[in-house]
Amino acid sequence: DYTAQNDNPDNQQDRRLEALSCTEKSVTQAQTAAPLAAGTDVLGAMRQAIAWLDGGSGTKNLIVATDGLVTTGCADLTKSSFASQQEIKAIANLCMQRGEIDRAAFDEVQIKLVGIGRPSSDQPVPTPQQAKWLNNMWQTLCGSKCSVSDEAVAGANPARSTINSAGG
């Protein structure tokens, strides 16, 4: 919070610019870094970020850049058919049972998931039906104050194969 314990507008603006610069540098480094392991615990990352945001005041916004495909935890899609609403409900129920979704905490933050269904250029792309299912699944997991978008995060290559019905 760049205004905390500082009522000088000039200092606040300097702190704000430093925060933006620091965030931009961190995001740029993350975009170019090679993954350390297969899969991402998207919900785990969201829980950590929401817990961090809980310490601040004012409007809470969280932007998560992910393809939403190669995930770990309760939202592991390696055996998914990417086909039915029942499957989405089963995944959501499992996540709730495991405590990987804190609905109250998620609903206190304006969350935006971007890049859903847009894997890196060396990975297969979901069919339009699979992409719609994936969007619905993440919307269900993310909650009412969440928006889910398939807009590209970084230079995506549209000329890729589609994923098979097993999701891999």
Side-chain angles (χ1 to χ4, degrees), residues 57-77:
S57 61
T59 305
K60 295 171 175 60
N61 295 290
L62 175 62
I63 299 173
V64 180
T66 178
D67 63 13
L69 288 162
V70 186
T71 56
T72 61
C74 64
D76 180 355
L77 301 176

Side-chain angles (χ1 to χ4, degrees), residues 21-99:
S21 175
C22 180
T23 301
E24 183 177 335
K25 182 179 177 183
S26 294
V27 169
T28 300
Q29 288 173 341
Q31 284 180 321
T32 59
L36 299 176
T40 303
D41 184 359
V42 176
L43 292 173
M46 290 169 61
R47 282 191 313 276
Q48 291 293 322
I50 289 168
W52 181 77
L53 287 170
D54 193 42
S57 61
T59 305
K60 295 171 175 60
N61 295 290
L62 175 62
I63 299 173
V64 180
T66 178
D67 63 13
L69 288 162
V70 186
T71 56
T72 61
C74 64
D76 180 355
L77 301 176
T78 54
K79 295 181 182 174
S80 175
S81 67
F82 288 74
S84 75
Q85 187 63 33
Q86 290 174 330
E87 188 175 17
I88 292 172
K89 288 179 184 177
I91 292 169
N93 287 339
L94 177 64
C95 291
M96 293 297 281
Q97 289 171 2
R98 289 186 179 179

